Amino acid sequence: MKKLCLLFLVLSACASKPQITKPKKFTSIPCQQSFSDGVFEPSDRQLNRVSTLFEMGCFNEVIVLGSYIRSHHRDKFYSITSEIGELATPEGTLTEYILESYERSYLSLLISLSYLNLNDENAAQVELRQSMTDEQAQLYNHGNDPVITVLHATLWTRFDPQVARPYWKRLSEDKKSSKAVVKFAQARLSEIDRSGSSAKRNWKVYGIGTLPGLTWEADFIKREKGPYRISATGGFPKTCSSDGDLIVPTSSWIDKLSRRYEVDYHPILYTKSLLRVPFGVTYGILGVSAGVAVGFSGCILASQIRADELCRAAIHGGGGIIMASGDLVEYTLGPDLRHWENLPNAFYIVDESSGENKECLSSQDKENMVLRALSR
């Protein structure tokens, strides 16, 4: 019955989605196959599909699929039935995924880089401006991100250093940024002020590794801002800067995810998480009661027919139901951890053509430094 209900929900969601248009020309047969596989995926999985397509060099497909996701998953549309229905089910069961602010900006950046890799610099600059707009947009998920600011400043330096200057200046004065980023930004700012438009630098951007997984802890009593503590299951490379390169971890993206349920950010999510507690407790009580009933009634029946094995089986079965009820409670009360998983856990920015010192890459653990080129 549960599978039928889930199938109905999936089919209903797919039926209500606008159709994804195909690229005018597919890059290759593997790109076409991967793009087709992602058409009916849920939106958070489609984000991972965009990363896969980009790594495959399927830039036409990235532009089409990325533009679709950005258009249809940037705004929150409330449905009373869905919001109420999720009081008795885990968050995200009945509602569409909405792009986080950094995801929205980074998606536009990937579209911009795709145009750049297709040698269309004009379109790349248009999408780069769109990414800047996305970062400032006061939508459901909002907020500036220092990593996105670094990427904006880096990419604009190759096109128009004067446009990049305000972003380097913001980073150079950001008290929350690390000393390494501030030092690198100050150097870029001095370079632009000294050389003007001739300060163009062909910085190349690489992605390092992949975002670690997420774990959560519930604390509905002590935590003031939100009922969950969401954190990463793994670490990030250290921030580093030298004359010719920079490493910036994306730990701020995990920090952004941890804010989802804070009362001053998403008060409705915060309220729903509290209202879901009675349902979770009820599921637990019903599960424990059912487990005790199975074990007790099984043993009574076994005593009547003198079958000890039946009693042991009933106790074992009842214990299994009780254990499963605990998992059901945790599943019901858990936060929505959907996000763009296949993202770098750091960025490596380097001017490979310069003769400046590039010390950052050599200072890191080489085993964990898997580089993926994002720009040419």
Side-chain angles (χ1 to χ4, degrees):
M1 186 63 182
K2 290 182 179 179
K3 291 182 178 180
L4 288 175
C5 292
L6 181 60
L7 179 61
F8 174 76
L9 290 172
V10 171
L11 291 176
S12 299
C14 291
S16 61
K17 282 186 179 181
Q19 188 174 1
I20 301 177
T21 58
K22 296 180 180 180
K24 293 181 179 179
K25 181 181 179 181
F26 285 103
T27 306
S28 64
I29 293 177
C31 290
Q32 180 178 0
Q33 182 61 53
S34 182
F35 179 88
S36 300
D37 290 343
V39 168
F40 295 108
E41 289 179 326
S43 52
D44 55 316
R45 296 303 174 192
Q46 285 180 338
L47 290 169
N48 292 331
R49 179 70 58 178
V50 169
S51 295
T52 300
L53 289 169
F54 191 89
E55 291 171 12
M56 293 171 61
C58 308
F59 302 121
N60 291 323
E61 291 76 9
V62 168
I63 292 169
V64 172
L65 184 57
S67 299
Y68 170 85
I69 298 171
R70 184 177 61 190
S71 298
H72 295 93
H73 298 284
R74 66 193 298 270
D75 299 301
K76 172 73 172 179
F77 298 99
Y78 288 96
S79 167
I80 296 178
T81 55
S82 297
E83 299 296 337
I84 293 178
E86 282 188 343
L87 295 179
T89 59
E91 188 70 42
T93 305
L94 305 175
T95 53
E96 279 282 359
Y97 181 71
I98 306 300
L99 292 170
E100 286 291 339
S101 53
Y102 72 85
E103 293 175 337
R104 205 169 54 235
S105 299
Y106 187 67
L107 186 58
S108 294
L109 279 172
L110 279 190
I111 296 173
S112 175
L113 290 169
S114 295
Y115 277 118
L116 190 60
N117 284 304
L118 292 172
N119 298 313
D120 190 344
E121 290 197 1
N122 290 331
Q125 291 184 49
V126 169
E127 290 297 334
L128 186 52
R129 288 188 176 91
Q130 177 64 49
S131 179
M132 295 160 61
T133 302
D134 288 331
E135 187 186 27
Q136 301 294 331
Q138 293 298 312
L139 302 176
Y140 176 73
N141 287 321
H142 57 274
N144 296 334
D145 179 77
V147 178
I148 296 295
T149 304
V150 170
L151 295 176
H152 284 162
T154 299
L155 293 175
W156 270 117
T157 302
R158 70 182 295 161
F159 294 125
D160 188 344
Q162 294 303 323
V163 177
R165 189 185 186 283
Y167 292 92
W168 289 126
K169 189 173 189 302
R170 183 197 302 176
L171 289 167
S172 69
E173 298 174 348
D174 188 358
K175 296 181 180 180
K176 295 182 180 179
S177 294
S178 67
K179 292 182 179 179
V181 172
V182 171
K183 181 180 178 182
F184 190 83
Q186 289 173 343
R188 303 287 72 76
L189 197 61
S190 298
E191 188 175 55
I192 293 171
D193 290 341
R194 184 174 61 252
S195 304
S197 59
S198 61
K200 288 184 179 180
R201 296 280 291 269
N202 189 15
W203 295 102
K204 288 191 176 181
V205 182
Y206 293 87
I208 302 176
T210 306
L211 277 181
L214 298 177
T215 184
W216 64 276
E217 296 178 0
D219 191 346
F220 292 90
I221 299 175
K222 294 182 180 179
R223 285 182 64 81
E224 296 179 359
K225 289 187 175 181
Y228 303 107
R229 183 180 288 106
I230 300 173
S231 56
T233 57
F236 294 86
K238 294 180 180 179
T239 307
C240 172
S241 69
S242 70
D243 294 337
D245 61 352
L246 172 71
I247 290 178
V248 185
T250 56
S251 54
S252 63
W253 294 356
I254 301 297
D255 295 339
K256 184 59 164 52
L257 293 175
S258 68
R259 288 197 58 212
R260 275 184 180 173
Y261 288 85
E262 291 185 1
V263 64
D264 59 345
Y265 184 57
H266 285 326
I268 292 180
L269 274 184
Y270 173 80
T271 304
K272 283 173 65 180
S273 63
L274 297 182
L275 294 177
R276 197 177 290 113
V277 173
F279 289 95
V281 172
T282 300
Y283 294 154
I285 293 174
L286 291 176
V288 171
S289 300
V292 172
V294 168
F296 185 71
S297 60
C299 285
I300 290 179
L301 179 61
S303 65
Q304 297 294 325
I305 61 176
R306 297 181 180 181
D308 294 340
E309 292 184 1
L310 177 59
C311 181
R312 285 194 293 270
I315 293 175
H316 181 74
I321 293 175
I322 293 174
M323 292 295 292
S325 67
D327 295 337
L328 179 60
V329 172
E330 183 177 1
Y331 174 68
T332 304
L333 297 181
D336 181 7
L337 297 181
R338 291 179 296 174
H339 65 291
W340 192 346
E341 298 172 352
N342 192 11
L343 289 179
N345 72 342
F347 289 99
Y348 178 56
I349 298 168
V350 59
D351 184 357
E352 296 174 339
S353 62
S354 71
E356 298 170 322
N357 293 329
K358 303 174 182 64
E359 304 171 357
C360 287
L361 199 60
S362 59
S363 68
Q364 300 288 332
D365 182 1
K366 295 293 182 60
E367 294 182 1
N368 296 323
M369 298 296 287
V370 180
L371 298 182
R372 301 194 300 266
L374 299 180
S375 64
R376 58 178 176 79

